[in-house]
Amino acid sequence: MLRRSLFVVALLLSSAGFAKAEQASVNATSNTDSCVFSTVSFATNFASGRVDDCQQTGSDSFTLHLKPENLPINPSPWYAFKVIGREAQPKPITITLMTHNGPARYSPKVSLDQQVWAPVAFSKTDQSIQFKLSASKTPIYVAAGEIINNVTYTRWLSDLEQGEIATLGLTVENRAIPMLEHRTPNSQDWLILIGRQHPPEITGALALMHFNNLLWSEDPTVSAFRSRYNILLVPNMNPDGVHRGNWRHNRNGLDLNRDWKNRSQPETQALHTKLKTIEAEGGVIRFALDFHSTNRNVYYTMDHDYVTAKGKPIAQPQLVNNWLTSLAASEPYKIENKPSHNQDSGVFKQYMADEFGVHSVTYEVGDNTDRAEIKVMAEAALRTLIEHL
């Protein structure tokens, strides 16, 4: 326990150090000097904060511009900023978020502490979101989703109280990629769980957390499962992108979930090395989940009769179909199973099939899915998956 605590402290200090050291670069990227006005200011000097330019367009109206880290990009216009009034009395203001190189995607949420978030009424066009706030000297956080930053992950992993926390590898900017590993002497079978390849995909991050809160609990069913399975959890594959508030990419401007064929990035290389080490030690990877967000709840799967790049049928061909059928029967929510394959896609599920011969699922959660539903479905997903593994 002492070793675990020291490792968590080291990760927290590292994350805090990066946040402090990079405050100037975040401010420069976000042009926050231009976001200070006579009655209000907009600040992004916190982890995951991002706005790319600001304009005052009326006495009480402001336009904030959202621009991608680089192009081309699959557009997911993330934003996160603090609104700070400069007058003694609260002042109603109108904020317009203008997206560049992509449509407006994420509905705004507000918070006073980055812990409790609430939606705010807004109007929307293809490339803009507009809403009203009352700006006061008490900062109000506005973001495209709940802020789950690198420090959040470190603290959350430490609270799971199971397995061994370690560093999978280092990012482009030398941030640690934390992992939680559970080994059982009674089995060579492995379950692999990853998330946050794409920084703005918060609902997928929430689903991963709910899934793992149950998986690492003392619930008798999951405790019995842990006695049969080794588990590798990497909840945050893209710490650089998460810290910077990137739309999609890592620090090198590449989509990690299109890099699994080439594995040109340190983040994908680190996990590949770990999985090949598990295999070299006699471990057998049985299944993997990769958590994401999109415009609806959907499970992107491999074809059940897929023949891998190595010319062999995929193992346990009906595993995913049986699992999702059980999941659909257990809960009233719609289950969309969308099988496909493309050996040149570079996505994680394809990589797992071709490299290890096993099924993997891209677990997608809708951007606006009710938060209670996310929890219910994540827990049900685990319970029904255990029945089939």
Side-chain angles (χ1 to χ4, degrees), residues 343-377:
Q343 291 183 347
D344 294 323
S345 65
V347 300
F348 182 73
K349 75 180 181 74
Q350 183 76 44
Y351 156 78
M352 292 301 298
D354 288 330
E355 189 68 31
F356 300 99
V358 299
H359 276 290
S360 178
V361 172
T362 308
Y363 185 129
E364 299 265 12
V365 184
D367 295 332
N368 297 314
T369 299
D370 181 81
R371 275 30 183 181
E373 179 184 336
I374 293 174
K375 182 176 188 294
V376 168
M377 289 304 294

Side-chain angles (χ1 to χ4, degrees), residues 220-242:
T221 300
V222 297
S223 293
F225 176 75
R226 290 199 310 272
S227 72
R228 296 190 295 113
Y229 262 79
N230 303 283
I231 303 165
L232 177 67
L233 167 62
V234 187
N236 182 14
M237 283 292 301
N238 192 353
D240 292 348
V242 167

Side-chain angles (χ1 to χ4, degrees), residues 202-213:
I202 296 300
T203 54
L206 292 171
L208 177 145
M209 286 179 159
H210 291 309
F211 186 100
N212 281 278
N213 285 340

Side-chain angles (χ1 to χ4, degrees), residues 3-244:
R3 178 184 174 189
R4 177 192 184 90
S5 299
L6 290 173
F7 186 83
V8 170
V9 169
L11 276 176
L12 286 169
L13 289 173
S14 174
S15 298
F18 268 114
K20 182 176 180 181
E22 291 189 356
Q23 180 170 320
S25 65
V26 170
N27 286 345
T29 301
S30 304
N31 294 318
T32 50
D33 288 345
S34 67
C35 293
V36 178
F37 304 98
S38 61
T39 59
V40 67
S41 63
F42 303 95
T44 59
N45 56 346
F46 55 93
S48 297
R50 185 181 184 120
V51 165
D52 296 281
D53 199 6
C54 305
Q55 296 171 315
Q56 184 164 5
T57 52
S59 60
D60 303 315
S61 301
F62 304 86
T63 296
L64 280 57
H65 295 270
L66 314 178
K67 301 176 183 179
E69 55 268 20
N70 64 295
L71 294 171
I73 198 165
N74 186 328
S76 302
W78 173 262
Y79 54 91
F81 54 91
K82 285 187 292 187
V83 181
I84 308 168
R86 300 167 66 84
E87 297 185 350
Q89 297 299 319
K91 186 176 183 64
I93 62 172
T94 299
I95 299 173
T96 301
L97 304 177
M98 185 67 64
T99 68
H100 297 253
N101 302 103
R105 173 174 172 178
Y106 299 113
S107 305
K109 294 174 177 57
V110 296
S111 175
L112 296 177
D113 59 3
Q114 295 194 43
Q115 302 300 314
V116 179
W117 293 86
V120 60
F122 66 96
S123 60
K124 185 176 179 181
T125 69
D126 286 346
Q127 290 189 291
S128 71
I129 297 171
Q130 188 174 89
F131 54 96
K132 297 181 183 295
L133 286 180
S134 182
S136 72
K137 290 189 175 182
T138 299
I140 301 173
Y141 290 90
V142 181
E146 297 89 333
I147 293 177
I148 302 174
N149 59 34
N150 297 333
V151 172
T152 307
Y153 281 111
T154 301
R155 289 174 173 161
W156 173 70
L157 285 172
S158 70
D159 288 342
L160 293 182
E161 297 183 351
Q162 301 284 351
E164 180 72 20
I165 300 175
T167 295
L168 174 73
L170 299 177
T171 66
V172 174
E173 295 185 315
N174 290 318
R175 287 186 175 85
I177 305 170
M179 67 179 182
L180 185 61
E181 183 176 6
H182 161 75
R183 289 179 179 261
T184 175
N186 303 317
S187 174
Q188 294 297 320
D189 294 335
W190 281 84
L191 171 65
I192 310 300
L193 305 167
I194 73 168
R196 210 66 182 278
Q197 294 197 71
H198 301 146
E201 297 182 3
I202 296 300
T203 54
L206 292 171
L208 177 145
M209 286 179 159
H210 291 309
F211 186 100
N212 281 278
N213 285 340
L214 178 58
L215 176 60
W216 302 90
S217 73
E218 294 303 324
D219 178 279
T221 300
V222 297
S223 293
F225 176 75
R226 290 199 310 272
S227 72
R228 296 190 295 113
Y229 262 79
N230 303 283
I231 303 165
L232 177 67
L233 167 62
V234 187
N236 182 14
M237 283 292 301
N238 192 353
D240 292 348
V242 167
H243 176 79
R244 291 179 169 274

